Amino acid sequence: MWHNLVKKQWMALTCAVLLLAGLQAEWCLAAHPVTQEKGPAILLVTFGTSVESAQAAFRTIEQRVKAAFPKAEVRWAYTSKIIRKKLEKSGTRIDSPEMALARLMDDGYTKVAVQSLHMIPGIEFHELCDNARLFGQMDGGFSKVMVGWPLLVSDTAMDKVLKEILTRVVPKERKADEAVVLMGHGTHHPSDAVYSAMMYKAQKTDPNVYVGTVEGSPSFEEIKEQLVQKKIKKAYLVPLMTVAGDHAKNDMAGDEPDSWKSQLTKAGIEAVPVMKGLAEYDAIADMWVEQLKVTIAHLQ
């Protein structure tokens, strides 16, 4: 029943998401002529994190990007105002995407590739596209500015990410009768359908692999109910996120009663968190780099 329901929801909702994303893609590139070209510069944009251990994912991304584009100017921006303010109090200043674009414009760059490091094309990605488009329309500013897609934007990308998680991220000692639960963030945007699509694909690959979300669908309650019904005794919890930040540390693996780990433990299921973000793995980080290569090519 769940399998058929998810399949129908996935097909309908994914069509809607891809339609919206396709329309939005027209806004991700803005251009007008300038007399002298400088760039392209690369702006890496993510939600951000204040968890020090999670920064390893960003370091991996930056290393892979600089290896692919050794002569390019590479800068960072966080979309989360809360994270930026928190880091500023500890002496670390990170720009918002808008401020970072303004600085690049002020520094004379005329071509900019903005690479989204988000998981799905949700609200933050579409806002990023809108604002990049507006920067590209300013007289005397950028000649071209283009936003690269997030990670999970195609059937092929979802299949590849799922394969990498099951072969590289999930511990080798995991047994066939033990569950793997991937934690996505979830969103009120139509792109939340991506998580249902990932759940559908996960179940087709391995009936003991699940995808849940903190704030969307499928919910953790749905996943927990299925684990209990199947009498699962052990489950590996894996962040379906760029970094193993606050959500992974607290909502997934925390000791509070409402964390996924605590709720599974209460249900008699041993929970084993895997505290690494997906961008810490070279093969997955390189998927964002490949998106960036396409974006750079369109700027030439």
Side-chain angles (χ1 to χ4, degrees):
M1 175 70 83
W2 166 262
H3 185 76
N4 291 333
L5 177 61
V6 169
K7 182 177 181 180
K8 290 178 182 177
Q9 290 178 334
W10 169 60
M11 292 176 67
L13 292 173
T14 300
C15 286
V17 172
L18 293 178
L19 175 61
L20 287 171
L23 293 173
Q24 187 70 41
E26 297 181 9
W27 301 346
C28 290
L29 172 63
H32 59 78
V34 295
T35 56
Q36 196 170 15
E37 300 284 359
K38 181 181 178 181
I42 296 170
L43 179 62
L44 302 175
V45 179
T46 181
F47 179 83
T49 182
S50 59
V51 178
E52 177 58 33
S53 60
Q55 292 286 337
F58 295 156
R59 288 192 290 270
T60 298
I61 285 279
E62 183 166 331
Q63 289 168 1
R64 308 303 283 184
V65 168
K66 287 185 174 180
F69 305 98
K71 296 182 180 180
E73 174 75 6
V74 179
R75 299 186 186 181
W76 283 86
Y78 287 2
T79 57
S80 172
K81 184 176 181 179
I82 294 175
I83 296 297
R84 296 197 307 269
K85 290 293 185 182
K86 188 173 182 179
L87 288 172
E88 191 172 350
K89 290 179 180 179
S90 63
T92 300
R93 184 168 182 175
I94 302 290
D95 283 334
S96 66
E98 297 74 31
M99 181 59 73
L101 286 168
R103 292 186 195 279
L104 285 167
M105 184 178 289
D106 191 54
D107 289 343
Y109 287 95
T110 55
K111 293 182 177 181
V112 179
V114 182
Q115 181 55 52
S116 164
L117 299 180
H118 300 97
M119 296 298 297
I120 62 173
I123 295 171
E124 291 180 5
F125 172 74
H126 287 285
E127 289 178 348
L128 182 62
C129 284
D130 286 345
N131 291 332
R133 173 176 57 87
L134 293 173
F135 269 92
Q137 293 174 348
M138 292 182 185
D139 289 336
F142 300 130
S143 64
K144 287 184 180 180
V145 55
M146 188 172 183
V147 181
W149 292 108
L151 188 63
L152 302 175
V153 292
S154 70
D155 192 68
T156 300
M158 286 188 278
D159 285 336
K160 185 172 181 179
V161 168
L162 188 58
K163 180 180 178 181
E164 291 296 331
I165 289 173
L166 294 178
T167 57
R168 300 176 188 271
V169 182
V170 176
K172 300 295 183 183
E173 60 267 23
R174 179 242 171 173
K175 299 176 182 177
D177 62 347
E178 296 171 345
V180 174
V181 181
L182 309 182
M183 174 193 260
H185 187 279
T187 176
H188 298 297
H189 188 272
S191 61
D192 193 61
V194 171
Y195 296 110
S196 290
M198 286 291 284
M199 174 66 166
Y200 170 73
K201 287 178 172 294
Q203 289 282 286
K204 280 186 64 178
T205 302
D206 183 331
N208 283 333
V209 178
Y210 301 83
V211 177
T213 63
V214 181
E215 298 179 7
S217 181
S219 69
F220 174 68
E221 287 300 320
E222 295 174 83
I223 304 303
K224 183 179 71 171
E225 182 179 341
Q226 293 180 63
L227 296 180
V228 171
Q229 288 178 351
K230 292 183 71 172
K231 295 180 170 46
I232 295 292
K233 298 301 181 184
K234 186 175 183 178
Y236 291 89
L237 306 180
V238 178
L240 185 61
M241 299 178 176
T242 309
V243 301
D246 184 71
H247 284 299
K249 183 178 178 181
N250 296 310
D251 296 313
M252 188 184 82
D255 294 325
E256 295 297 318
D258 60 348
S259 76
W260 289 20
K261 176 185 174 182
S262 294
Q263 291 186 63
L264 289 179
T265 300
K266 185 177 180 180
I269 301 171
E270 180 186 356
V272 182
V274 178
M275 296 301 293
K276 291 187 72 173
L278 295 186
E280 293 186 52
Y281 299 89
D282 289 349
I284 296 179
D286 283 342
M287 293 178 67
W288 275 292
V289 176
E290 290 303 314
Q291 296 279 30
L292 180 56
K293 288 179 180 178
V294 173
T295 305
I296 292 287
H298 279 84
L299 291 179
Q300 304 304 323

